[in-house]
Amino acid sequence: MILKEENRDLFGVSEKYHLAHCISSDCAMGAGIAVQFNERFNLREKLLAKYDSNQRSFPTCILEGRVLNLITKERYWHKPTYGTLVTSLNKMREIVILNKIKYVAMPKIGCGLDGLKWGRVRKYIEATFGDLEVEILVCYL
């Protein structure tokens, strides 16, 4: 794995990248970067139409188009734990392997409104994807 951190707009990356972010299983997407994901990819409507509440139960990860939706909490007002994030990352790993995904771009997942600490999250990403041939680009402004 190659893990890069860059000061750049996540939505300006090349189309070769799959994008990843954290959401709640209710797919509210009403705050933070999830709002932009929903506006650009119509994720709320697609996820609610395609996946029932059991399929969206947390923690998990759902690939919709080129977006990896890490479901780390049940309701939008809840906070994820490092445990739910790690379980979601492990599911994302399965999806990356199954779909032969080589490039992923993401914000500092779980570290905005969700309040997790980036140093710890980064270590979980390295542990989860370290042995794969994948580039993970972390974008922040």
Side-chain angles (χ1 to χ4, degrees):
M1 173 196 66
I2 297 169
L3 181 59
K4 298 179 181 179
E5 294 183 46
E6 294 183 7
N7 184 358
R8 65 185 292 182
D9 179 10
L10 174 66
F11 298 107
V13 301
S14 163
E15 293 280 323
K16 73 180 180 180
Y17 286 92
H18 281 72
L19 305 179
H21 72 131
C22 295
I23 63 171
S24 54
S25 63
D26 61 10
C27 299
M29 295 187 229
I33 198 165
V35 172
Q36 293 177 57
F37 270 92
N38 189 42
E39 288 172 353
R40 292 170 186 273
F41 301 103
N42 194 26
L43 290 173
R44 178 176 165 72
E45 184 178 311
K46 289 176 182 175
L47 292 171
L48 291 173
K50 284 183 164 180
Y51 305 95
D52 66 28
S53 60
N54 289 330
Q55 293 168 305
R56 293 189 326 268
S57 66
F58 83 104
T60 194
C61 182
I62 296 174
L63 177 62
E64 177 55 44
R66 67 181 189 107
V67 179
L68 293 148
N69 299 276
L70 290 104
I71 302 177
T72 58
K73 56 192 179 183
E74 184 177 9
R75 302 278 180 223
Y76 71 89
W77 64 84
H78 294 162
K79 297 293 183 193
T81 66
Y82 291 105
T84 59
L85 179 69
V86 167
T87 302
S88 296
L89 286 171
N90 284 325
K91 182 62 179 175
M92 181 176 137
R93 175 188 165 89
E94 293 174 16
I95 292 169
V96 164
I97 292 169
L98 181 67
N99 292 279
K100 297 177 175 56
I101 295 170
K102 297 295 182 194
Y103 300 92
V104 177
M106 65 176 70
K108 291 182 177 180
I109 56 171
C111 298
L113 298 174
D114 284 336
L116 301 179
K117 301 296 181 205
W118 175 243
R120 195 165 170 188
V121 170
R122 187 180 203 281
K123 287 179 183 174
Y124 291 132
I125 292 169
E126 290 171 335
T128 304
F129 297 95
D131 64 332
L132 297 183
E133 290 186 28
V134 62
E135 177 187 306
I136 298 178
L137 173 62
V138 179
C139 300
Y140 56 89
L141 291 175

